[in-house]
Amino acid sequence: MTYTSDGNESIPTDFDDVVQQVSTGTLAHQRIDELLLEAHERYSDVDEGLLAHYIPVLGQVEPETFAISMSHVGGTVHGVGDCHHQFSIQSISKMFVYALVLQEHGHEVVHEKIGVNNTGMPFNSVMAVELNNGHPMNPMVNAGAIATTEMIAGKSAAKKWENVREGLSAFAGRPLTLDDEVYESESEANERNKALGRLLKSYGQLDGDPNNAVDIYTKQCSLNVTAHDLAVMGATLADGGINPVTGQQVVSADVCRDTLATVATNGLYERSGDWLFEIGIPAKSGVSGGIVAVAPGKGAIGAFSPRLDMAGNSVRGQLAIGHLSRALGLNLFASAPDSAR
Ligand code: GLN
């Protein structure tokens, strides 16, 4: 029996020599345009939720912006609403940086160092670190994301940042740029993330300077994307690591599988269980109002609308993705009785 460094017994595994088969079904892609329009119309009037005021510039954005995009693994990207509106990627960056780190270090090392289990607590919880003997727990909360970013290849902070930016750009299929205003605003307001960095360091969970790791993390959160980009980035993870638009192999199929499993259990923080129960596909949200949801082997949805629920997840984004998951048959847990009977 092996143990992860959070002290928990890990699941017994003995499958390395078993050839992995994949079975995911197909996407009814001829209906995507019609269903995107339907979801957009249905939820455009929802005005519940609040902007992310704790990062000052995010508290000043236009609250009505609403975009839904979907990329099929075949490479066609559909969209409705403000699909080319740019916003900072925020926490959605965590899943793509995690994929790059898995690619670099492999399944075992990353499992042991970062973990995969849900904290049951908000994304910026300090208590979660304390309750777990300093272990970052999973890469989708801030502590785990800071520890993950530190593992990006590169000897200097500048090189690590370059690798993050280039890696995320490969997922998007275009060069992503930093939103300086968001980066400055968040840098002035991120005392809590700096505290998390120092706490991890005190537990021996970070090798380098914690402020460097937090700074790269803040930069990765400040990269600008659109709903269209999120759909393509997600579809790369749905497509065995090949960007369906550019054809570039960004990460391996094994990395996609591991990333999506971790996203499924942690992507919406302490609401991840509710999300899987209601919607049934791995998804990651960010506090600027983006959500990406991935249907393995089929495609991905990128949604954007900045009003958030209390856990920091876009209200309209959740509704739109829920609608599409149901109408397009994306829920991983749904089945119908065998028709051959
Ligand atoms: N940059 C944000 C933070 O660290 C990201 C949080 C999020 O999107 N949930 O607080």
Side-chain angles (χ1 to χ4, degrees):
M1 189 59 71
T2 54
Y3 288 83
T4 61
S5 58
D6 59 2
N8 292 318
E9 211 177 66
S10 74
I11 300 277
T13 55
D14 178 27
F15 334 114
D16 282 354
D17 56 341
V18 183
V19 177
Q20 178 159 300
Q21 297 297 334
V22 177
S23 161
T24 53
T26 52
L27 180 64
H29 58 94
Q30 29 344 312
R31 294 199 60 212
I32 295 176
D33 285 321
E34 162 206 340
L35 290 169
L36 286 180
L37 263 175
E38 189 178 285
H40 195 269
E41 259 173 45
R42 188 166 159 144
Y43 303 114
S44 325
D45 291 339
V46 175
D47 63 359
E48 283 153 43
L50 296 170
L51 300 179
H53 289 282
Y54 82 100
I55 298 174
V57 292
L58 295 186
Q60 294 156 20
V61 300
E62 165 53 53
E64 290 304 330
T65 316
F66 187 22
I68 321 171
S69 277
M70 180 159 196
S71 172
H72 175 232
V73 287
T76 24
V77 190
H78 307 251
V80 59
D82 309 304
C83 288
H84 295 284
H85 170 81
Q86 304 224 39
F87 53 91
S88 54
I89 187 169
Q90 296 297 337
S91 271
I92 301 171
S93 64
K94 291 168 177 164
M95 71 192 267
F96 298 102
V97 172
Y98 180 60
L100 297 172
V101 165
L102 274 171
Q103 185 68 46
E104 173 77 20
H105 298 275
H107 179 101
E108 274 85 22
V109 171
V110 182
H111 183 194
E112 147 83 19
K113 217 168 146 63
I114 308 294
V116 294
N117 290 316
N118 199 293
T119 64
M121 292 190 189
F123 64 83
N124 57 1
S125 176
V126 174
M127 206 194 297
V129 179
E130 289 292 3
L131 288 174
N132 291 287
N133 303 315
H135 194 270
M137 291 303 287
N138 77 66
M140 305 300 148
V141 292
N142 290 10
I146 293 164
T148 304
T149 294
E150 221 229 6
M151 292 175 78
I152 279 282
K155 288 215 164 62
S156 64
K159 187 67 198 158
K160 281 182 192 285
W161 164 235
E162 194 183 314
N163 286 338
V164 167
R165 204 183 62 74
E166 280 177 5
L168 267 57
S169 298
F171 275 108
R174 71 173 185 99
L176 298 179
T177 55
L178 190 71
D179 185 325
D180 294 310
E181 210 193 343
V182 170
Y183 170 59
E184 273 158 37
S185 182
E186 186 164 350
S187 296
E188 279 164 20
N190 70 350
E191 297 306 334
R192 197 177 175 91
N193 286 339
K194 286 189 192 146
L196 282 170
R198 291 197 170 273
L199 189 60
L200 290 171
K201 181 78 183 174
S202 79
Y203 277 109
Q205 297 284 355
L206 291 183
D207 294 331
D209 179 343
N211 283 341
N212 282 344
V214 172
D215 184 52
I216 303 167
Y217 165 77
T218 308
K219 282 193 179 122
Q220 80 186 43
C221 289
S222 308
L223 281 171
N224 267 335
V225 289
T226 63
H228 176 110
D229 290 329
L230 289 183
V232 174
M233 294 173 89
T236 303
L237 291 175
D239 191 28
I242 296 185
N243 181 315
V245 175
T246 64
Q248 185 188 347
Q249 178 96 47
V250 182
V251 288
S252 71
D254 283 359
V255 162
C256 296
R257 181 202 59 210
D258 292 348
T259 303
L260 293 179
T262 312
V263 168
T265 48
N266 304 292
L268 272 82
Y269 320 113
E270 70 275 31
R271 295 276 165 82
S272 300
D274 288 321
W275 175 266
L276 278 189
F277 188 67
E278 301 294 351
I279 320 284
I281 35 171
K284 183 77 205 80
S285 64
V287 286
S288 53
I291 307 186
V292 62
V294 182
K298 296 177 180 165
I301 304 165
F304 175 74
S305 185
R307 288 198 201 91
L308 311 175
D309 69 11
M310 295 307 284
N313 304 316
S314 167
V315 176
R316 285 184 191 167
Q318 292 179 77
L319 289 165
I321 292 169
H323 186 91
L324 291 166
S325 170
R326 195 165 271 236
L328 284 165
L330 307 181
N331 191 318
L332 299 177
F333 307 104
S335 64
D338 182 6
S339 57
R341 190 178 287 119

